[in-house]
Amino acid sequence: MGSGTSSRRKGPPSVLSVHSVVGQMFVLQVAVVLILAVGAVVMLALTTQRESTRAADNQSLAVAQGFASSPGLLGALKSPDPTAVLKPRVKEAWRGSGVDFLGVVNRDGIYYALSSRIGRPGSHTATNMAPLLAGRTVREKGVGSLGPQVRVFVPVKEPSGSVVGAVGAGITLEHVGNRVAEQLPAVVGAAAGAVAVTTGGAALLSRRLLRQTRGLGPAEITRMYEHNDAVLHSVREGVLIIGDDGQLLLANDEARRLLDLPADTEGRHVTALGLEPPMAELLVSGRGATDEVHLAGDRLLAVNVRPTGPYGGIAGSAVTLRDTTELRALTGRAEAARERLKLLYDAGVRIGTTLDVARTAQELAEVAVPRFADVVTVELMEPVLRGDEPPEGSTGMRRAAVSGVRQNSPFHPVGDLITLSLITPMASDVASGQAVLEVDLRTADRWQAQHPEQARQILDYGVHSLISVPLRARGVVLGLADFWRAETLEAFGEEDRSFAEELAARAAVAIDNARRYTRERTMAVALQRSLLPRRLPELSALEVSHRYLPAQAGVGGDWFDVIPLPGARVALVVGDVVGHGVHAVATMGRLRTAVHNFSALDMAPDELLAHLDELVARIDADEAAEEEGQQITGATCLYAIYDPVSGMCTIARAGHFGPALVQPDDTVAFPDTPVSPPLGLGGALPFESAALRLPEGSRLALFTDGLLEDRDRDLDTSLDLLRGALSHHDRTPEQTCQAVIDALLPERPRDDVVLLIARTRLLNPDQVADWDIPSDPEAVSRVRAGVTRQLETWDLDQLAFTTELIVSELVTNAIRYGAQPIRLRLLHDSSNLICEVADDSSTSPHLRRAAATDEGGRGLFLIAQLAGRWGTRYTTHGKIIWAEQALHDGAAEPGTDLADILLGQWDE
């Protein structure tokens, strides 16, 4: 058999071979098609002949009737010479009629006029005239002078009804045959095309059938069928073939075993086989399925369904069944392991997203519910919540997180203090860092011994199993994570305990990181607040309120200051050191101290920023020398000086946002003040300042970039929000601060924020007194008298003696050592009496201790003793020496104290 098969397979099978069934079928199909095509051609030719004859008859009738009814035909027949009248008319009508002849005959059948290829008037028609004379139309086939033809004669009647002649028209059968011949090629071509298409289709189908049989003979096909049948029934996988009507067509032995089918299964409907409803529904639905698991008795079967129609078979489905009962159990464990790994991965992603201890504990509780436990509670040692490391042996914990699938649980809420009894085994296990597994809480005596009443409520809630895992990091127990099951019927097992320990270990690392960050942040915040002003000074020039909010992500270097200056002036400072952490805070402290020192020298704002720029550059150079690759210290600053006497505010800024100015009519503007590079980058570039005149009651808002910059909105939107929050003149600076914070900042700001609101005041003209001093020593007495009178006006008689001494010394020094013009000014604000002597000299006096033999040199010493503060500040034209006395209850004459001071100068 093998040799015969191989001989037949030497060459590709031919469709035209009549030795095969496929070839015989092909020849038969071609013969049938040819017979049908020839018959179709004959039928089409006969039909065309018949239709052409009918069309010729109708055309002749139409032409004859049309000419018979034409106007003037009856008059022409009665005319003396009908032939002469009718001949041209007939000829004209015949040319466009499409008939072979057109003529008019009299009652005797003689043509008056005849138009054709060979006909002439005067000939006699072969048509029987009797029906025409009787008034009927004659339609006939006959032989005329043109040969066989189809002709029609129509009588021409008088109005009385008598026939005076007839009109005849006809088409020869030769022309009818020509029309048929014209259509015959198309008919034959169509038939030939149909034969070709049909033959080609038959050839394609035969070739496809030949490929499907692979050239096998009947015996080989039979053996193949037997082999396939043997394989079908011996394979260890169930096979079902189901028709499109839901009937079972075939079931192999394995399918009968798996589904417990009877012997007479084939031919029965699937729903009558006693299968489980879900499986029966799948088998009759006609939809495809891949490894769908269905129950069949006590077996779990993986079912695959594929339609058979697209693969050359009849419409229906092919079904394969595999017993996966044991595999399912293994797969379930593998799936559980995969789910646990995925949960650990999710925990690594979701736990520790913030460096907040309480939030990290809550993330642990949320990630484990409901995928591992139905309720999770987390307790942390109280020092951990503060950022400190817990002491050894501590059992006092505070509830930090609770998460569960149900509400109104009996567990302690967040914030409650929870204490473990040291004498219980559970407390001992927790202290040693071991996880505790309680499979059945109803029999867990040591757990119930902790808090009996709380345990009873938890059991009544439905909780039945528990795993308690200490949160341990770096060998220190930070707290406790409890995993509870209530809704899940399956109790915790040893594998669950191992997983809970792994989950808690990851969470403990995140909590410890958050704790250490909390500690560092707390220290940085404490350092930051210690370096910032603890309270604002009482000022007569400004009413000031402020806000400082450290960033949640890390304390930065933002700072502010309000510094009283001589002459009732006030310096307002807002700055920002780039970066976060202790380094930024320490740098901020150095800059703030420098600003205080430079302010004590009474520098102009632009000059002060220039010195501050040099300091930052020197800090960068020192740090770069100590640590290679150290980045420069980025810092910005705004420095403003407000003078309540003139109402002028001088502002300079280095890389900082400009101020917002609110006029008394609630108009909010952002003045165009010159901006210089940030501190440390100025180099050779000069710092510039701008002078603004502020009406009394104006509000000046100074702030750092953390107030405006937000990733969720653009800068213009922030400025509009700030403008809206500031434009309420009836608010106090404190209320305005809160309104701005509420309008612009989220609950957890991403950057430090400093906000300073200052409402301006002006000194009344009657609080200022000044005198021009001539270069005459005798003028000193007159000036003293004028000062005394002014003090009486201000009800400051108790300060008259000390003020006269101060004025005498300062004016005398200005006359002796200074240059004209010399001017004295007294300022009386709410808390101080200020004496200022200005001259055009740049020389500055120095405080020194005079020797016993010196006649002078004790004036400034007296001023330093009598005044609260004194000093010198330089102007563009000279200097001003000032002395300030505080106004307070009980101020009186110095009495003998002054004498003691003077005598003490000579005692040494």
Side-chain angles (χ1 to χ4, degrees):
M1 185 189 76
S3 61
T5 302
S6 62
S7 64
R8 284 193 293 271
R9 293 182 180 174
K10 289 181 180 179
S14 175
V15 176
L16 300 178
S17 177
V18 296
H19 298 288
S20 66
V21 175
V22 175
Q24 292 173 0
M25 291 178 61
F26 176 72
V27 172
L28 179 60
Q29 289 175 350
V30 172
V32 171
V33 170
L34 287 175
I35 292 172
L36 292 176
V38 172
V41 170
V42 173
M43 290 299 296
L44 287 172
L46 292 176
T47 300
T48 303
Q49 177 71 29
R50 184 171 58 253
E51 293 298 327
S52 297
T53 302
R54 183 181 295 110
D57 182 72
N58 293 335
Q59 185 176 0
S60 299
L61 176 61
V63 172
Q65 286 179 342
F67 193 78
S69 61
S70 62
L73 180 61
L74 184 60
L77 288 173
K78 292 182 177 182
S79 65
D81 189 0
T83 298
V85 177
L86 292 174
K87 186 175 180 180
R89 295 182 59 184
V90 169
K91 187 176 182 179
E92 182 68 23
W94 172 72
R95 287 176 179 172
S97 64
V99 297
D100 291 328
F101 77 91
L102 177 64
V104 181
V105 300
N106 58 16
R107 290 178 58 85
D108 296 330
I110 304 299
Y111 281 102
Y112 284 138
L114 176 61
S115 293
S116 68
R117 290 175 294 172
I118 60 174
R120 295 180 179 179
S123 60
H124 195 282
T125 182
T127 300
N128 185 9
M129 293 298 295
L132 288 171
L133 295 178
R136 297 195 299 273
T137 299
V138 176
R139 306 172 71 168
E140 61 183 2
K141 290 182 181 180
V143 179
S145 59
L146 298 177
Q149 56 189 215
V150 176
R151 57 195 178 197
V152 177
F153 283 87
V154 178
V156 180
K157 302 178 182 178
E158 291 184 353
S160 62
S162 61
V163 176
V164 296
V167 176
I171 298 175
T172 62
L173 293 181
E174 179 184 357
H175 286 179
V176 174
N178 291 339
R179 296 181 181 179
V180 174
E182 292 174 357
Q183 300 181 13
L184 188 58
V187 173
V188 174
V195 171
V197 171
T198 306
T199 302
L204 292 176
L205 292 176
S206 299
R207 183 174 295 277
R208 181 177 180 184
L209 180 60
L210 194 63
R211 285 199 305 269
Q212 291 178 347
T213 59
R214 299 181 183 276
L216 298 177
E220 292 173 322
I221 293 177
T222 301
R223 281 192 295 273
M224 181 178 289
Y225 171 77
E226 292 173 350
H227 177 72
N228 292 343
D229 188 62
V231 173
L232 180 67
H233 289 283
S234 63
V235 71
R236 303 307 297 170
E237 186 170 288
V239 179
L240 301 175
I241 303 297
I242 302 172
D244 60 347
D245 56 355
Q247 288 189 346
L248 181 63
L249 303 180
L250 182 146
N252 71 345
D253 296 341
E254 183 67 9
R256 294 176 188 274
R257 184 184 70 82
L258 294 176
L259 298 178
D260 195 18
L261 299 177
D264 58 344
T265 298
E266 282 85 353
R268 297 172 60 179
H269 199 273
V270 171
T271 56
L273 299 179
L275 303 177
E276 296 290 339
M279 177 176 285
E281 181 182 355
L282 172 62
L283 297 182
V284 299
S285 64
R287 67 178 178 88
T290 301
D291 287 340
E292 286 193 14
V293 179
H294 289 269
L295 185 64
D298 58 349
R299 297 185 179 92
L300 287 175
L301 303 181
V303 183
N304 290 274
V305 181
R306 295 290 184 273
T308 57
Y311 303 99
I314 62 175
S317 301
V319 182
T320 60
L321 309 170
R322 296 196 314 275
D323 189 353
T324 62
T325 305
E326 296 181 0
L327 181 61
R328 189 67 177 175
L330 295 175
T331 303
R333 288 195 291 271
E335 182 65 28
R338 281 197 299 270
E339 178 61 26
R340 293 290 171 83
L341 288 175
K342 187 175 185 304
L343 181 54
L344 285 176
Y345 171 78
D346 292 343
V349 173
R350 295 176 54 185
I351 298 176
T353 57
T354 65
L355 291 174
D356 182 84
V357 175
R359 179 56 194 165
T360 304
Q362 185 63 36
E363 289 170 345
L364 167 62
E366 292 174 353
V367 77
V369 176
R371 297 164 63 180
F372 178 66
D374 298 319
V375 180
V376 176
T377 59
V378 180
E379 296 83 42
L380 296 177
M381 301 292 182
E382 286 199 86
V384 174
L385 292 170
R386 299 191 300 267
D388 299 328
E389 189 165 320
E392 290 288 340
S394 175
T395 59
M397 295 182 291
R398 195 168 294 277
R399 177 63 48 82
V402 178
S403 180
V405 296
R406 286 189 290 167
Q407 302 297 324
N408 302 322
S409 67
F411 298 95
H412 289 290
V414 173
D416 278 11
L417 183 64
I418 298 174
T419 305
L420 294 178
S421 176
L422 295 176
I423 63 174
T424 61
M426 178 170 286
S428 176
D429 291 341
V430 170
S432 63
Q434 298 179 3
V436 177
L437 169 63
E438 295 292 352
V439 178
D440 188 354
L441 289 177
R442 291 169 295 185
T443 61
D445 296 335
R446 63 176 188 170
W447 171 73
Q448 296 182 23
Q450 290 286 332
H451 301 285
E453 181 61 26
Q454 178 74 7
R456 184 186 61 78
Q457 296 177 6
I458 292 175
L459 291 174
D460 293 342
Y461 185 70
V463 177
H464 58 81
S465 188
L466 163 67
I467 298 178
S468 292
V469 187
L471 297 172
R472 190 180 182 92
R474 298 177 297 101
V476 178
V477 176
L478 306 176
L480 184 67
D482 294 329
F483 303 91
W484 314 78
R485 277 189 177 172
E487 306 294 329
T488 305
L489 298 180
E490 182 182 359
F492 286 119
E494 288 297 331
E495 293 183 357
D496 297 319
R497 172 159 57 181
S498 299
F499 174 77
E501 289 176 338
E502 177 67 21
L503 184 62
R506 298 191 179 200
V509 172
I511 291 174
D512 189 54
N513 289 337
R515 178 196 65 79
R516 289 188 291 176
Y517 168 76
T518 300
R519 178 177 178 82
E520 292 178 2
R521 183 177 183 275
T522 302
M523 294 173 57
V525 170
L527 178 60
Q528 174 88 331
R529 294 192 181 279
S530 68
L531 295 176
L532 291 175
R534 296 182 179 273
R535 61 182 182 85
L536 297 182
E538 295 183 2
L539 304 169
S540 59
L542 296 171
E543 180 184 358
V544 184
S545 185
H546 75 283
R547 288 290 187 277
Y548 168 72
L549 300 176
Q552 294 295 323
V555 178
D558 291 19
W559 92 92
F560 70 95
D561 222 329
V562 179
I563 306 173
L565 297 178
R569 297 169 305 139
V570 179
L572 301 176
V573 189
V574 173
D576 182 7
V577 176
V578 177
H580 295 84
V582 176
H583 180 269
V585 174
T587 303
M588 177 273 293
R590 298 173 69 179
L591 296 182
R592 179 171 179 258
T593 302
V595 170
H596 266 274
N597 293 334
F598 293 146
S599 298
L601 299 177
D602 212 344
M603 295 182 177
D606 52 346
E607 184 182 358
L608 185 143
L609 290 183
H611 286 287
L612 206 61
D613 177 70
E614 293 177 0
L615 173 63
V616 173
R618 188 163 57 253
I619 292 174
D620 290 339
D622 294 342
E623 292 184 352
E626 294 178 3
E627 184 176 352
E628 185 177 355
Q630 175 72 27
Q631 295 183 352
I632 63 173
T633 301
T636 65
C637 184
L638 184 148
Y639 188 83
I641 296 178
Y642 174 68
D643 186 352
V645 178
S646 62
M648 296 298 297
C649 182
T650 306
I651 301 174
R653 58 190 178 111
H656 202 87
F657 277 107
L661 177 61
V662 187
Q663 299 288 349
D665 61 354
D666 280 345
T667 300
V668 181
F670 297 93
D672 186 14
T673 55
V675 58
S676 301
L679 299 177
L681 302 177
L685 296 177
F687 287 86
E688 300 180 67
S689 61
L692 306 176
R693 183 175 296 277
L694 306 183
E696 185 173 14
S698 301
R699 282 169 293 166
L700 200 63
L702 311 181
F703 46 84
T704 57
D705 56 0
L707 182 70
L708 298 180
E709 294 178 352
D710 193 296
R711 67 183 64 175
D712 298 327
R713 63 173 183 257
D714 56 27
L715 183 60
D716 290 338
T717 302
S718 297
L719 291 175
D720 290 340
L721 292 174
L722 177 61
R723 186 180 288 106
L726 291 174
S727 60
H728 294 277
H729 190 71
D730 54 339
R731 291 175 179 167
T732 64
E734 177 66 22
Q735 293 171 338
T736 303
C737 278
Q738 190 59 45
V740 170
I741 296 298
D742 293 342
L744 277 86
L745 292 186
E747 182 179 355
R748 300 169 64 89
R750 299 185 180 95
D751 194 7
D752 286 15
V753 175
V754 164
L755 174 64
L756 203 62
I757 304 292
R759 182 156 58 189
T760 62
R761 297 169 179 156
L762 290 176
L763 290 181
N764 292 329
D766 57 2
Q767 293 180 275
V768 180
D770 53 9
W771 295 266
D772 291 326
I773 309 298
S775 297
D776 183 4
E778 295 182 358
V780 175
S781 60
R782 296 193 299 272
V783 172
R784 283 200 306 268
V787 168
T788 302
R789 289 192 297 271
Q790 185 62 51
L791 293 180
E792 291 176 354
T793 304
W794 288 342
D795 294 329
L796 298 178
D797 298 5
Q798 71 275 15
L799 298 179
F801 181 73
T802 56
T803 304
E804 286 182 9
L805 288 177
I806 292 172
V807 169
S808 295
E809 179 63 26
L810 294 180
V811 171
T812 300
N813 284 340
I815 294 174
R816 180 177 300 176
Y817 304 108
Q820 285 290 338
I822 303 173
R823 190 172 183 83
L824 168 66
R825 185 173 71 167
L826 292 182
L827 302 177
H828 173 212
D829 63 9
S830 59
S831 57
N832 295 291
L833 176 63
I834 304 166
C835 175
E836 296 179 344
V837 176
D839 68 84
D840 270 11
S841 172
S842 59
T843 58
S844 175
H846 298 282
L847 179 65
R848 65 184 180 88
R849 183 178 295 274
T853 59
D854 291 342
E855 296 182 1
R858 298 174 179 83
L860 291 181
F861 180 80
L862 291 176
I863 293 175
Q865 297 297 320
L866 298 176
R869 295 192 308 162
W870 77 279
T872 303
R873 72 174 185 268
Y874 293 93
T875 64
T876 56
H877 301 290
K879 67 177 183 298
I880 296 176
I881 303 177
W882 57 271
E884 184 178 286
Q885 301 177 76
L887 304 180
H888 53 81
D889 294 339
E893 295 290 344
T896 58
D897 292 338
L898 179 59
D900 293 339
I901 294 172
L902 293 173
L903 292 175
Q905 288 289 297
W906 281 273
D907 291 341
E908 300 180 5

